[in-house]
Short mmCIF file of all heavy atoms in Angstrom, two decimals:
data_model
loop_
_atom_site.label_atom_id
_atom_site.label_comp_id
_atom_site.label_asym_id
_atom_site.label_seq_id
_atom_site.Cartn_x
_atom_site.Cartn_y
_atom_site.Cartn_z
N ARG A 1426 17.16 -22.01 23.48
CA ARG A 1426 17.85 -23.31 23.49
C ARG A 1426 18.08 -23.82 22.08
O ARG A 1426 19.17 -24.31 21.75
CB ARG A 1426 17.03 -24.33 24.29
CG ARG A 1426 17.66 -25.72 24.34
CD ARG A 1426 16.83 -26.66 25.18
NE ARG A 1426 15.56 -26.98 24.56
CZ ARG A 1426 15.41 -27.92 23.61
NH1 ARG A 1426 16.45 -28.61 23.16
NH2 ARG A 1426 14.21 -28.17 23.12
N ILE A 1427 17.08 -23.72 21.22
CA ILE A 1427 17.21 -24.23 19.85
C ILE A 1427 18.25 -23.43 19.07
O ILE A 1427 19.11 -23.99 18.38
CB ILE A 1427 15.85 -24.19 19.14
CG1 ILE A 1427 14.90 -25.22 19.78
CG2 ILE A 1427 16.00 -24.48 17.65
CD1 ILE A 1427 13.49 -25.14 19.28
N VAL A 1428 18.20 -22.10 19.20
CA VAL A 1428 19.16 -21.26 18.49
C VAL A 1428 20.58 -21.52 18.98
O VAL A 1428 21.52 -21.62 18.18
CB VAL A 1428 18.79 -19.77 18.63
CG1 VAL A 1428 19.90 -18.89 18.06
CG2 VAL A 1428 17.49 -19.48 17.92
N LEU A 1429 20.76 -21.66 20.30
CA LEU A 1429 22.09 -21.92 20.84
C LEU A 1429 22.63 -23.27 20.37
O LEU A 1429 23.83 -23.42 20.10
CB LEU A 1429 22.06 -21.87 22.37
CG LEU A 1429 21.92 -20.46 22.98
CD1 LEU A 1429 21.83 -20.55 24.49
CD2 LEU A 1429 23.09 -19.58 22.57
N GLU A 1430 21.75 -24.28 20.28
CA GLU A 1430 22.19 -25.58 19.77
C GLU A 1430 22.67 -25.46 18.33
O GLU A 1430 23.68 -26.06 17.94
CB GLU A 1430 21.04 -26.59 19.87
CG GLU A 1430 20.79 -27.11 21.28
CD GLU A 1430 19.72 -28.17 21.31
OE1 GLU A 1430 19.16 -28.50 20.23
OE2 GLU A 1430 19.41 -28.67 22.41
N LEU A 1431 21.93 -24.69 17.52
CA LEU A 1431 22.34 -24.49 16.13
C LEU A 1431 23.65 -23.73 16.04
O LEU A 1431 24.50 -24.02 15.18
CB LEU A 1431 21.24 -23.74 15.37
CG LEU A 1431 19.95 -24.52 15.11
CD1 LEU A 1431 18.87 -23.60 14.57
CD2 LEU A 1431 20.21 -25.66 14.13
N VAL A 1432 23.84 -22.76 16.93
CA VAL A 1432 25.09 -21.99 16.94
C VAL A 1432 26.26 -22.88 17.33
O VAL A 1432 27.34 -22.81 16.73
CB VAL A 1432 24.97 -20.80 17.90
CG1 VAL A 1432 26.33 -20.13 18.12
CG2 VAL A 1432 23.98 -19.77 17.35
N ARG A 1433 26.04 -23.75 18.31
CA ARG A 1433 27.12 -24.65 18.74
C ARG A 1433 27.48 -25.64 17.64
O ARG A 1433 28.66 -25.95 17.43
CB ARG A 1433 26.72 -25.38 20.02
CG ARG A 1433 26.85 -24.54 21.28
CD ARG A 1433 26.82 -25.42 22.51
NE ARG A 1433 25.51 -26.05 22.68
CZ ARG A 1433 24.53 -25.55 23.41
NH1 ARG A 1433 24.70 -24.41 24.05
NH2 ARG A 1433 23.37 -26.18 23.51
N ARG A 1434 26.47 -26.16 16.95
CA ARG A 1434 26.75 -27.11 15.86
C ARG A 1434 27.34 -26.41 14.64
O ARG A 1434 28.14 -27.00 13.93
CB ARG A 1434 25.47 -27.86 15.48
CG ARG A 1434 24.99 -28.83 16.54
CD ARG A 1434 24.15 -29.92 15.90
NE ARG A 1434 23.02 -29.37 15.17
CZ ARG A 1434 21.80 -29.26 15.67
NH1 ARG A 1434 21.56 -29.62 16.92
NH2 ARG A 1434 20.81 -28.77 14.95
N GLN A 1435 26.90 -25.21 14.38
CA GLN A 1435 27.42 -24.32 13.34
C GLN A 1435 27.15 -24.78 11.92
O GLN A 1435 26.85 -23.97 11.05
CB GLN A 1435 28.94 -24.10 13.51
CG GLN A 1435 29.31 -23.36 14.77
CD GLN A 1435 30.78 -23.06 14.85
OE1 GLN A 1435 31.58 -23.66 14.13
NE2 GLN A 1435 31.15 -22.16 15.74
N ARG A 1436 27.22 -26.08 11.66
CA ARG A 1436 27.14 -26.54 10.27
C ARG A 1436 25.84 -26.13 9.60
O ARG A 1436 25.84 -25.69 8.44
CB ARG A 1436 27.32 -28.07 10.21
CG ARG A 1436 28.74 -28.53 10.41
CD ARG A 1436 28.84 -30.03 10.40
NE ARG A 1436 28.13 -30.61 11.55
CZ ARG A 1436 28.08 -31.92 11.81
NH1 ARG A 1436 28.67 -32.77 11.00
NH2 ARG A 1436 27.44 -32.37 12.86
N SER A 1437 24.72 -26.28 10.31
CA SER A 1437 23.44 -25.92 9.70
C SER A 1437 23.38 -24.43 9.39
O SER A 1437 22.95 -24.03 8.30
CB SER A 1437 22.28 -26.30 10.64
OG SER A 1437 22.20 -27.70 10.79
N LEU A 1438 23.80 -23.59 10.33
CA LEU A 1438 23.75 -22.15 10.11
C LEU A 1438 24.67 -21.74 8.97
O LEU A 1438 24.33 -20.86 8.16
CB LEU A 1438 24.13 -21.41 11.39
CG LEU A 1438 23.13 -21.50 12.54
CD1 LEU A 1438 23.64 -20.70 13.74
CD2 LEU A 1438 21.76 -20.98 12.12
N ILE A 1439 25.84 -22.37 8.89
CA ILE A 1439 26.77 -22.05 7.80
C ILE A 1439 26.16 -22.43 6.46
O ILE A 1439 26.20 -21.66 5.49
CB ILE A 1439 28.12 -22.77 8.02
CG1 ILE A 1439 28.85 -22.18 9.22
CG2 ILE A 1439 28.99 -22.67 6.77
CD1 ILE A 1439 30.10 -22.93 9.62
N CYS A 1440 25.56 -23.61 6.39
CA CYS A 1440 24.93 -24.06 5.13
C CYS A 1440 23.75 -23.17 4.77
O CYS A 1440 23.55 -22.82 3.60
CB CYS A 1440 24.48 -25.51 5.25
SG CYS A 1440 25.83 -26.71 5.32
N TRP A 1441 22.94 -22.78 5.77
CA TRP A 1441 21.80 -21.91 5.51
C TRP A 1441 22.23 -20.50 5.13
O TRP A 1441 21.42 -19.71 4.65
CB TRP A 1441 20.87 -21.87 6.72
CG TRP A 1441 20.14 -23.15 6.95
CD1 TRP A 1441 19.88 -24.13 6.03
CD2 TRP A 1441 19.56 -23.60 8.18
NE1 TRP A 1441 19.20 -25.17 6.61
CE2 TRP A 1441 18.98 -24.87 7.92
CE3 TRP A 1441 19.48 -23.08 9.46
CZ2 TRP A 1441 18.32 -25.61 8.91
CZ3 TRP A 1441 18.83 -23.81 10.44
CH2 TRP A 1441 18.25 -25.06 10.17
N SER A 1442 23.49 -20.17 5.36
CA SER A 1442 24.02 -18.88 4.91
C SER A 1442 24.62 -18.98 3.51
O SER A 1442 24.41 -18.11 2.67
CB SER A 1442 25.10 -18.38 5.89
OG SER A 1442 24.56 -18.19 7.18
N ILE A 1443 25.36 -20.07 3.28
CA ILE A 1443 26.00 -20.24 1.98
C ILE A 1443 24.98 -20.47 0.88
O ILE A 1443 25.09 -19.91 -0.22
CB ILE A 1443 27.00 -21.43 2.03
CG1 ILE A 1443 28.18 -21.09 2.95
CG2 ILE A 1443 27.51 -21.77 0.63
CD1 ILE A 1443 29.12 -22.25 3.17
N PHE A 1444 23.96 -21.28 1.17
CA PHE A 1444 22.99 -21.65 0.15
C PHE A 1444 22.27 -20.44 -0.47
O PHE A 1444 22.27 -20.27 -1.69
CB PHE A 1444 21.98 -22.64 0.71
CG PHE A 1444 20.86 -22.99 -0.21
CD1 PHE A 1444 21.09 -23.76 -1.34
CD2 PHE A 1444 19.58 -22.54 0.03
CE1 PHE A 1444 20.06 -24.09 -2.21
CE2 PHE A 1444 18.54 -22.86 -0.83
CZ PHE A 1444 18.78 -23.63 -1.96
N PRO A 1445 21.62 -19.55 0.32
CA PRO A 1445 20.91 -18.43 -0.32
C PRO A 1445 21.83 -17.47 -1.04
O PRO A 1445 21.46 -16.93 -2.09
CB PRO A 1445 20.20 -17.75 0.86
CG PRO A 1445 20.93 -18.18 2.07
CD PRO A 1445 21.43 -19.55 1.78
N VAL A 1446 23.03 -17.27 -0.50
CA VAL A 1446 23.97 -16.37 -1.18
C VAL A 1446 24.37 -16.96 -2.52
O VAL A 1446 24.43 -16.25 -3.54
CB VAL A 1446 25.21 -16.11 -0.29
CG1 VAL A 1446 26.28 -15.36 -1.07
CG2 VAL A 1446 24.81 -15.32 0.95
N SER A 1447 24.63 -18.26 -2.56
CA SER A 1447 25.02 -18.91 -3.82
C SER A 1447 23.89 -18.83 -4.85
O SER A 1447 24.12 -18.49 -6.01
CB SER A 1447 25.38 -20.38 -3.56
OG SER A 1447 26.43 -20.49 -2.63
N ILE A 1448 22.66 -19.16 -4.41
CA ILE A 1448 21.52 -19.10 -5.33
C ILE A 1448 21.28 -17.68 -5.81
O ILE A 1448 20.97 -17.44 -7.00
CB ILE A 1448 20.25 -19.67 -4.65
CG1 ILE A 1448 20.45 -21.15 -4.30
CG2 ILE A 1448 19.04 -19.51 -5.56
CD1 ILE A 1448 20.69 -22.04 -5.50
N LEU A 1449 21.42 -16.71 -4.91
CA LEU A 1449 21.23 -15.31 -5.30
C LEU A 1449 22.25 -14.90 -6.36
O LEU A 1449 21.89 -14.26 -7.37
CB LEU A 1449 21.36 -14.41 -4.06
CG LEU A 1449 21.32 -12.90 -4.33
CD1 LEU A 1449 19.96 -12.50 -4.91
CD2 LEU A 1449 21.61 -12.13 -3.03
N LEU A 1450 23.49 -15.24 -6.16
CA LEU A 1450 24.53 -14.88 -7.14
C LEU A 1450 24.29 -15.54 -8.48
O LEU A 1450 24.41 -14.90 -9.54
CB LEU A 1450 25.91 -15.26 -6.59
CG LEU A 1450 26.39 -14.48 -5.36
CD1 LEU A 1450 27.71 -15.04 -4.86
CD2 LEU A 1450 26.53 -12.99 -5.68
N ILE A 1451 23.93 -16.83 -8.45
CA ILE A 1451 23.69 -17.55 -9.71
C ILE A 1451 22.49 -16.96 -10.44
O ILE A 1451 22.56 -16.64 -11.64
CB ILE A 1451 23.46 -19.05 -9.43
CG1 ILE A 1451 24.77 -19.69 -8.93
CG2 ILE A 1451 22.97 -19.77 -10.68
CD1 ILE A 1451 24.59 -21.10 -8.41
N ASN A 1452 21.36 -16.78 -9.72
CA ASN A 1452 20.16 -16.23 -10.36
C ASN A 1452 20.39 -14.80 -10.85
O ASN A 1452 19.95 -14.43 -11.95
CB ASN A 1452 18.98 -16.24 -9.37
CG ASN A 1452 18.40 -17.62 -9.18
OD1 ASN A 1452 18.62 -18.52 -9.98
ND2 ASN A 1452 17.64 -17.80 -8.11
N GLY A 1453 21.09 -14.00 -10.05
CA GLY A 1453 21.34 -12.62 -10.44
C GLY A 1453 22.20 -12.52 -11.68
O GLY A 1453 21.90 -11.74 -12.60
N LEU A 1454 23.25 -13.32 -11.75
CA LEU A 1454 24.15 -13.27 -12.91
C LEU A 1454 23.46 -13.80 -14.17
O LEU A 1454 23.66 -13.27 -15.26
CB LEU A 1454 25.42 -14.07 -12.62
CG LEU A 1454 26.33 -13.47 -11.53
CD1 LEU A 1454 27.48 -14.42 -11.21
CD2 LEU A 1454 26.87 -12.11 -11.98
N ILE A 1455 22.65 -14.86 -14.01
CA ILE A 1455 21.92 -15.39 -15.17
C ILE A 1455 20.93 -14.36 -15.69
O ILE A 1455 20.83 -14.12 -16.91
CB ILE A 1455 21.19 -16.70 -14.79
CG1 ILE A 1455 22.21 -17.82 -14.55
CG2 ILE A 1455 20.21 -17.10 -15.88
CD1 ILE A 1455 21.60 -19.10 -14.05
N LEU A 1456 20.18 -13.73 -14.79
CA LEU A 1456 19.21 -12.71 -15.22
C LEU A 1456 19.90 -11.53 -15.89
O LEU A 1456 19.43 -11.01 -16.91
CB LEU A 1456 18.40 -12.23 -14.02
CG LEU A 1456 17.32 -13.17 -13.50
CD1 LEU A 1456 16.70 -12.62 -12.22
CD2 LEU A 1456 16.24 -13.38 -14.54
N ALA A 1457 21.02 -11.12 -15.35
CA ALA A 1457 21.74 -9.98 -15.93
C ALA A 1457 22.23 -10.31 -17.34
O ALA A 1457 22.21 -9.45 -18.24
CB ALA A 1457 22.91 -9.59 -15.04
N GLU A 1458 22.65 -11.55 -17.55
CA GLU A 1458 23.19 -11.94 -18.86
C GLU A 1458 22.09 -12.19 -19.87
O GLU A 1458 22.17 -11.74 -21.02
CB GLU A 1458 24.04 -13.20 -18.69
CG GLU A 1458 24.57 -13.80 -19.99
CD GLU A 1458 25.59 -12.90 -20.66
OE1 GLU A 1458 26.24 -12.10 -19.96
OE2 GLU A 1458 25.75 -13.01 -21.90
N ARG A 1459 21.03 -12.89 -19.46
CA ARG A 1459 20.02 -13.34 -20.41
C ARG A 1459 18.95 -12.31 -20.71
O ARG A 1459 18.31 -12.35 -21.75
CB ARG A 1459 19.36 -14.64 -19.91
CG ARG A 1459 20.32 -15.82 -19.86
CD ARG A 1459 20.86 -16.14 -21.23
NE ARG A 1459 21.78 -17.28 -21.20
CZ ARG A 1459 22.45 -17.70 -22.26
NH1 ARG A 1459 22.31 -17.07 -23.42
NH2 ARG A 1459 23.26 -18.73 -22.18
#
Side-chain angles (χ1 to χ4, degrees):
R1426 180 178 69 82
I1427 292 172
V1428 172
L1429 287 177
E1430 284 184 0
L1431 290 170
V1432 170
R1433 282 196 294 267
R1434 290 204 303 263
Q1435 294 185 343
R1436 285 177 295 181
S1437 294
L1438 291 180
I1439 291 173
C1440 290
W1441 290 338
S1442 299
I1443 293 174
F1444 174 70
V1446 171
S1447 302
I1448 297 298
L1449 175 63
L1450 293 175
I1451 292 171
N1452 285 342
L1454 293 174
I1455 290 175
L1456 285 174
E1458 175 67 25
R1459 294 299 180 184

